[in-house]
Amino acid sequence: MPRVNEKVSYWMLVLPALSIMVCFYILPVLGIWEIAFTEPKAGVGNFVKMAGSNAVRTSFVITFRVAAITTVGCLILGYIVAYAISNFASRLTPLMVALVILPFWVSVLIRSFSWIVLLGRSGLVNDALMHAELIERPLRLMHNELGVLIAMIHVMLPFAVLPMLTNMRGISGIYVQAARSLGASEWTSFRQVYFPQTLPGVLSGALLVFVLSLGFFVTPALLGGGRVLMISEYITYQIQEFLNWGLGSALSVALLVATALVLLISARFVNLRATLLERK
Amino acid sequence: MQVSAFRIFFQTGAWLVIAFLVLPILVVLPISFTDTSYIGLPKEALSLQHYANYFTDPDWLSATWTSVWVGLVVATCASALGTAFAIGCWFLSDRAAMVARWVLITPILVPPVVQSLGFYRFWVQLGLIDTHFGVILAHTLLALPYVSISVFAALSNLDRNLPRAARSLGASVMQTVWAVVVPAARPGIITGFIFAFIVSFDEIVGVLFITVRNVETLPKMIWEGIQDNIDPTIAAVATMLIVLTLVATAIGVLRRS
């Protein structure tokens, strides 16, 4: 039976990548669940401790708040760029696209470093403001949520722009033209005709930014200066400072479950397949 | 059409947002030429001392070299595995293949700290902590989703009748894959290779967990530099990386247009 043989040979192509992913990635991540329920002793003790801890609750609240504000910020700023790129054709359009994609390729570490240079106590922004005698003492622009948010929006913005851009490029202009020729103002035709068509792109962007922000580590750790403890940083503290594997793993499980819930709920509104598997 | 307030809002808004995206990154440029030994704008004159420092410091150079060769090995492994995977799934295109595709992209969704914890515990058991092989393995797993997504994107334009024709003319499965499907996937493979290299070259959280002293990558040096003492050498390194990125992006844009 040639058909069966053929299937076997396609599976031979699939299996190497799939099996190392299962053995060396899926299993280790599942191992965290085991630690959470067994260390230091078997049972749900770590989760009870987690639920009773004010510090953990604060950390979860901060994480969701930062992720939510980052998402909203990225959507608003990203929408403006994506709209301009896809609706006003000009010679500069390719340059605009390139400038949006460029930061995407620059290391997150370097971008966070740039923000530290700008926002620090004696950073360039404070220096300039003091020099201009607009302020007397340096403003606190980082080591607080403001700094984390500015840098997070900067890092996540391309993730919001790209799905919206893909979506908007597929929208035909004739509906807006029809609305305009029937007498709708530019603003009305945007709000009632164009905007609803862009919702799939907006939701894809929102999902990507929110999920990535929930688990983000580098930028909050560097810009937060230990004062804006998002879950990821809280976990590393538990593990690296206190060697508290049980609690750290329980928090990891909670973060994983939270991420999975966000994905499951958004599956009702967002085409996950298009957003995650068929990106670009 | 006359220029409306609506249009002005979006157009100037877009340029302002782009300025917000691009300009903050460029601040490292003047900083890298500072004549001071701390982070700040040049005081009296421009100085190349921080570049000199990078090029004479064996630690910076060896970390760069490690990141480059590890990244190339990772990109090669991930491209080979990910391309075979995507091509197999493309042919199968059934439920099982769909599940396999979801499994392969989990590293994009799982928070970096969580997966690094998992690596740490498992790598201890396997004796892979603080080894180059351990880093290469971890980075290959993290890079696989990007390769498989970009190869799949390239294959979405391929007519399914072409491999069928090849088969009916007597080509074996592997001949068909090699002569018909791989050439069609080539742009995706190249993109995937570049993505995989960058994923590895940039990766920090995993490396912080699974290496100690023996494996020192460029991101780890930068991370430690930012944490301990902010040394303008980081600005010099950052500037060089940004210039490389600019050049690569420019080549990409020119090639496409």
Side-chain angles (χ1 to χ4, degrees):
Chain A
M1 288 204 294
R3 190 76 198 101
V4 175
N5 272 335
E6 216 160 284
K7 268 205 146 173
V8 170
S9 37
Y10 299 138
W11 275 108
M12 298 293 281
L13 291 170
V14 172
L15 280 178
L18 186 63
S19 49
I20 79 156
M21 187 59 81
V22 171
C23 293
F24 296 102
Y25 189 89
I26 304 291
L27 283 181
V29 170
L30 291 178
I32 293 169
W33 291 66
E34 197 196 317
I35 303 169
F37 286 103
T38 55
E39 274 182 39
K41 39 180 198 279
V44 291
N46 288 319
F47 291 92
V48 173
K49 210 153 107 196
M50 196 175 86
S53 158
N54 273 328
V56 170
R57 199 170 314 132
T58 311
S59 179
F60 265 98
V61 170
I62 292 176
T63 305
F64 274 85
R65 188 168 59 215
V66 168
I69 300 175
T70 302
T71 307
V72 173
C74 287
L75 288 181
I76 295 172
L77 299 183
Y79 198 95
I80 296 172
V81 178
Y83 185 88
I85 289 176
S86 37
N87 286 280
F88 309 132
S90 89
R91 276 179 305 120
L92 292 177
T93 308
L95 177 68
M96 288 174 107
V97 178
L99 290 177
V100 170
I101 296 174
L102 178 77
F104 199 68
W105 297 111
V106 176
S107 163
V108 170
L109 267 177
I110 291 179
R111 286 191 270 167
S112 303
F113 173 71
S114 293
W115 281 112
I116 293 174
V117 170
L118 280 167
L119 302 178
R121 250 188 90 78
S122 48
L124 298 191
V125 173
N126 270 325
D127 260 13
L129 290 177
M130 302 246 283
H131 203 75
E133 290 176 350
L134 289 169
I135 51 171
E136 279 172 20
R137 250 171 298 155
L139 301 172
R140 254 189 65 185
L141 301 170
M142 63 176 234
H143 292 176
N144 58 17
E145 233 169 281
L146 176 71
V148 172
L149 283 169
I150 295 174
M152 283 283 280
I153 291 176
H154 188 252
V155 169
M156 293 295 167
L157 194 48
F159 288 103
V161 176
L162 295 178
M164 291 198 269
L165 205 52
T166 313
N167 165 274
M168 287 181 194
R169 284 188 163 157
I171 294 175
S172 157
I174 57 171
Y175 301 106
V176 170
Q177 276 170 31
R180 297 279 284 142
S181 69
L182 290 169
S185 73
E186 207 166 7
W187 168 239
T188 309
S189 60
F190 168 76
R191 205 172 34 128
Q192 297 197 343
V193 180
Y194 190 82
F195 183 74
Q197 297 183 80
T198 59
L199 276 178
V202 173
L203 291 174
S204 292
L207 177 70
L208 274 179
V209 173
F210 191 74
V211 166
L212 294 177
S213 301
L214 273 188
F216 214 63
F217 173 73
V218 173
T219 307
L222 292 178
L223 272 294
R227 291 201 182 82
V228 188
L229 274 191
M230 285 175 71
I231 309 282
S232 285
E233 200 182 355
Y234 199 92
I235 293 170
T236 55
Y237 262 114
Q238 288 304 319
I239 307 267
Q240 289 179 338
E241 305 283 317
F242 307 114
L243 300 174
N244 198 344
W245 277 88
L247 188 59
S249 304
L251 282 162
S252 302
V253 167
L255 183 56
L256 264 182
V257 170
T259 309
L261 280 178
V262 171
L263 286 169
L264 280 176
I265 295 167
S266 59
R268 291 182 59 106
F269 312 100
V270 183
N271 183 348
L272 287 187
R273 204 176 136 168
T275 306
L276 298 169
L277 286 184
E278 271 121 42
R279 279 203 281 169
K280 300 231 324 150
Chain B
M1 204 167 84
Q2 75 199 58
V3 180
S4 60
F6 183 83
R7 194 179 166 126
I8 291 171
F9 170 78
F10 274 103
Q11 218 146 25
T12 44
W15 282 107
L16 287 175
V17 176
I18 287 175
F20 165 72
L21 264 176
V22 176
L23 295 182
I25 303 177
L26 300 181
V27 300
V28 296
L29 221 124
I31 305 276
S32 72
F33 294 108
T34 186
D35 50 353
T36 61
S37 60
Y38 52 88
I39 294 285
L41 293 170
K43 285 262 147 64
E44 317 265 298
L46 298 180
S47 156
L48 287 171
Q49 65 185 70
H50 303 294
Y51 289 87
N53 189 33
Y54 169 82
F55 283 105
T56 51
D57 183 343
D59 290 344
W60 278 109
L61 292 177
S62 94
T64 310
W65 171 237
T66 304
S67 283
V68 170
W69 78 258
V70 165
L72 289 175
V73 175
V74 167
T76 310
C77 297
S79 303
L81 290 164
T83 303
F85 174 87
I87 290 177
C89 284
W90 184 79
F91 270 110
L92 289 164
S93 61
D94 54 9
R95 266 191 94 83
M98 201 62 202
V99 173
R101 285 175 64 194
W102 279 111
V103 169
L104 218 72
I105 65 144
T106 43
I108 293 181
L109 302 172
V110 174
V113 168
V114 177
Q115 65 200 9
S116 305
L117 268 184
F119 285 146
Y120 179 76
R121 290 293 278 229
F122 207 57
W123 272 215
V124 167
Q125 289 170 31
L126 300 173
L128 290 176
I129 290 292
D130 214 14
T131 63
H132 289 96
F133 180 73
V135 174
I136 290 170
L137 181 57
H139 283 186
T140 302
L141 294 159
L142 301 183
L144 270 174
Y146 299 95
V147 177
S148 91
I149 288 173
S150 43
V151 173
F152 232 96
L155 288 179
S156 62
N157 305 319
L158 176 62
D159 184 351
R160 284 182 182 274
N161 286 319
L162 281 175
R164 274 191 209 124
R167 293 282 290 136
S168 72
L169 290 168
S172 72
V173 171
M174 286 307 143
Q175 280 172 327
T176 310
V177 166
W178 195 248
V180 179
V181 184
V182 168
R186 190 168 294 138
I189 301 172
I190 295 169
T191 314
F193 186 93
I194 297 169
F195 254 115
F197 178 82
I198 290 174
V199 167
S200 167
F201 193 80
D202 249 13
E203 204 277 336
I204 176 68
V205 187
V207 165
L208 287 179
F209 273 81
I210 62 172
T211 69
V212 191
R213 229 171 264 106
N214 198 21
V215 183
E216 195 71 23
T217 64
L218 194 56
K220 210 173 134 194
M221 287 279 289
I222 296 176
W223 174 269
E224 283 156 4
I226 296 177
Q227 297 265 313
D228 309 339
N229 58 319
I230 297 211
D231 169 356
T233 309
I234 300 173
V237 176
T239 304
M240 288 185 279
L241 288 174
I242 291 166
V243 169
L244 278 177
T245 312
L246 269 170
V247 171
T249 311
I251 293 172
V253 171
L254 289 178
R255 224 187 44 178
R256 224 171 301 151
S257 61

